Amino acid sequence: MPTNAELFARASRSIPGGVNSPVRAFRSVGGTPRFVARAQGPYFWDAEDKRYIDYIGSWGPAILGHAHPEVVRAVQEAAVHGLSYGAPTEAEIEIAEMLIARMPSIEQVRLVSSGTEATMTAIRLARGATGRNKIIKFEGCYHGHADSLLVKAGSGLLTFGNPTSAGVPPEFVAHTIVLDYNDIAGVKTAFAQHGKDIACIIVEPIAGNMNMIKPIAGFLETLRSECTAHGALLIFDEVMTGFRVGPQGVQGLTGIKPDITTLAKVIGGGMPIGAFGASAKIMSNIAPLGGVYQAGTLSGNPVAVAAGITTLKLLAKPGFYEDLSKRTRTLCDGLVERARAHKIPFSADCVGGMFGVYFSDKVPTTLAEVSASNIEMFKVFFHGMLDEGVYFAPSAYEAGFVSSTHDDSVIAATITAADKVFAKLNA
Ligand SMILES: *Cc1c(COP(=O)(O)O)cnc(C)c1O
């Protein structure tokens, strides 16, 4: 049986960095990535057959726990009938109708194969529909790896951004305005200066890619009112929050309706899927109806759609989100209580089945506050928990995820493990 270290060494010869997505490589916490052999419910087992309680859940999709029997059965049954056709199916209508029925702002939806594709197309759609070029994004929000979205703030207020990736020409991000999350004044200034050129704002309505950061009162409301006042479109990137924080995403929780919504992660139940949706009027700009081009060989893949439909059906069970929220709250409260007992500066916050843990006395509301938390202490905590068989995200800049299979005993075991790790941190 090869060890994790042996697999990592072998992987590093054939795959850059040994991984197929960078955060998996443990670069920001150090150490050896765990190679997953199998998973079930709240657990996965690594190559050395060590069991972990998993708080990543594939970065969100595993909201029903790993390998949910009904989802697995749906995948098996779909696979028997063929893996992909490149022609429409009835199941695609069914999942479209489910998404439309549940997401307040969506009248029509198109399926793609990833969150990146969904956000990339949402931006193109907003530009095509408005005939404008500039977009606003917020530093620390992640919207996948499309060129114009791989950008951080330039120095000084309201400069256009700088690419955060090699291989992205500055010209490609020249139309991207980067602002601070929760900076209401910054949004107003940007619209005052560039209002007639701004096609859209794209935002994670609860941020989950700079640890978890909630919008402050008035932030999303301001985005909505500024977009409406200036004829720009508001894009809620609910790739992470959709069906994760509640049955209708953040738009259901807040009552604020975006013009365009992007989805992925949970709606595929672990299979590769993404979607973008809007009013029928906005969606009429998409090919073959309109001039905004978008396509995909595997879009609406029948096996992924089967997993998605079954997942969405199971999420509609009465009380699902109340129960999930309660479990997540119990976890956060328990961690905070144990940290306090050991005098560790620590806070936690959650919404639905998503949470953040921070080595700081108070819950951050900005990226700068996340960066100012005790990241060194997080690293020690992360490895301590890993030793205890609990797998948190391998970065202080990521959120965590609870599934419906994280029952009372799993959460209690997590808090007991954290108690030991906090005690060591204190010593
Ligand atoms: C994960 C994520 C994406 C990218 O989705 P992929 O499926 O990884 O391409 C985009 N936006 C948000 C908010 C995400 O969390």
Side-chain angles (χ1 to χ4, degrees):
M1 193 160 69
T3 63
N4 292 302
E6 284 162 358
L7 288 173
F8 191 43
R10 183 176 149 210
S12 300
R13 289 194 288 274
S14 54
I15 303 169
V19 294
N20 281 311
S21 196
V23 75
R24 298 178 196 171
F26 276 28
R27 284 287 174 101
S28 76
V29 288
T32 307
R34 301 308 189 257
F35 280 69
V36 179
R38 65 187 198 281
Q40 183 67 61
Y43 304 113
F44 74 75
W45 287 260
D46 72 7
E48 298 167 24
D49 212 30
K50 179 174 163 103
R51 192 188 78 176
Y52 299 85
I53 300 172
D54 179 19
Y55 286 102
I56 299 186
S58 184
W59 300 96
I63 192 166
L64 298 167
H66 290 289
H68 188 287
E70 286 179 56
V71 179
V72 170
R73 193 178 323 121
V75 166
Q76 288 169 332
E77 283 171 5
V80 167
H81 297 295
L83 301 179
S84 175
Y85 316 121
T89 61
E90 185 172 354
E92 288 164 77
I93 312 172
E94 194 182 339
I95 194 168
E97 288 172 349
M98 290 173 97
L99 296 174
I100 291 163
R102 296 192 200 179
M103 294 304 264
S105 68
I106 297 185
E107 291 175 2
Q108 288 198 342
V109 64
R110 179 160 285 174
L111 296 181
V112 292
S113 298
S114 70
T116 294
E117 270 186 88
T119 56
M120 181 183 77
T121 312
I123 299 280
R124 186 181 304 146
L125 172 59
R127 285 174 163 155
T130 58
R132 299 171 176 182
N133 288 332
K134 295 195 194 315
I135 65 173
I136 292 178
K137 87 170 281 283
F138 298 94
E139 189 154 16
C141 284
Y142 177 68
H143 304 292
H145 59 91
D147 283 343
S148 67
L149 295 168
L150 287 178
V151 48
K152 68 175 180 339
S155 53
L157 191 66
L158 273 188
T159 53
F160 289 89
N162 302 317
T164 51
S165 167
V168 178
E171 291 82 359
F172 283 29
V173 300
H175 292 297
T176 306
I177 299 170
V178 184
L179 303 174
D180 285 330
Y181 198 78
N182 278 332
D183 178 9
I184 292 174
V187 172
K188 289 182 176 166
T189 310
F191 273 97
Q193 286 194 5
H194 299 288
K196 62 178 193 336
D197 300 322
I198 294 172
C200 65
I201 297 178
I202 185 165
V203 66
E204 287 183 71
I206 293 172
N209 286 287
M210 47 175 157
N211 209 319
M212 189 185 84
I213 295 192
K214 287 180 178 169
I216 59 170
F219 179 60
L220 297 177
E221 290 81 353
T222 302
L223 303 187
R224 180 65 276 171
S225 60
E226 289 291 316
C227 280
T228 303
H230 291 89
L233 301 181
L234 178 59
I235 303 172
F236 273 7
D237 180 359
E238 299 229 45
V239 164
M240 185 179 281
T241 55
F243 303 100
R244 165 55 64 184
V245 300
Q248 303 181 310
V250 182
Q251 52 200 273
L253 294 181
T254 60
I256 297 168
K257 270 200 198 179
D259 299 296
I260 303 174
T261 301
T262 55
L263 297 166
K265 295 194 168 114
V266 170
I267 65 163
M271 296 291 287
I273 211 167
F276 60 97
S279 66
K281 180 160 175 277
I282 291 175
M283 292 301 275
S284 71
N285 289 284
I286 289 283
L289 297 179
V292 176
Y293 192 70
Q294 182 275 330
T297 301
L298 295 180
S299 292
N301 176 268
V303 184
V305 166
I309 289 173
T310 306
T311 299
L312 290 170
K313 280 185 185 157
L314 291 166
L315 296 180
K317 265 202 332 234
F320 180 89
Y321 286 97
E322 288 78 1
D323 187 47
L324 184 69
S325 303
K326 220 175 87 227
R327 291 159 196 264
T328 313
R329 174 57 64 194
T330 305
L331 171 70
C332 287
D333 289 350
L335 292 175
V336 169
E337 195 268 327
R338 287 294 86 207
R340 295 271 149 83
H342 294 291
K343 302 192 168 50
I344 303 291
F346 183 89
S347 53
D349 198 9
C350 61
V351 49
M354 177 172 168
F355 66 90
V357 296
Y358 325 89
F359 281 83
S360 60
D361 284 321
K362 87 178 215 337
V363 172
T365 60
T366 64
L367 177 60
E369 286 173 9
V370 173
S371 300
S373 70
N374 194 331
I375 306 244
E376 287 310 311
M377 204 176 250
F378 168 80
K379 290 182 195 174
V380 180
F381 172 77
F382 169 80
H383 280 290
M385 293 301 277
L386 210 54
D387 290 344
E388 295 292 329
V390 182
Y391 193 86
F392 278 97
S395 163
Y397 293 94
E398 301 287 354
F401 305 98
V402 171
S403 82
S404 55
T405 58
H406 288 72
D407 62 17
D408 290 346
S409 70
V410 170
I411 292 190
T414 306
I415 294 168
T416 303
D419 182 64
K420 281 195 212 165
V421 176
F422 287 139
K424 276 191 212 149
L425 273 173
N426 179 309

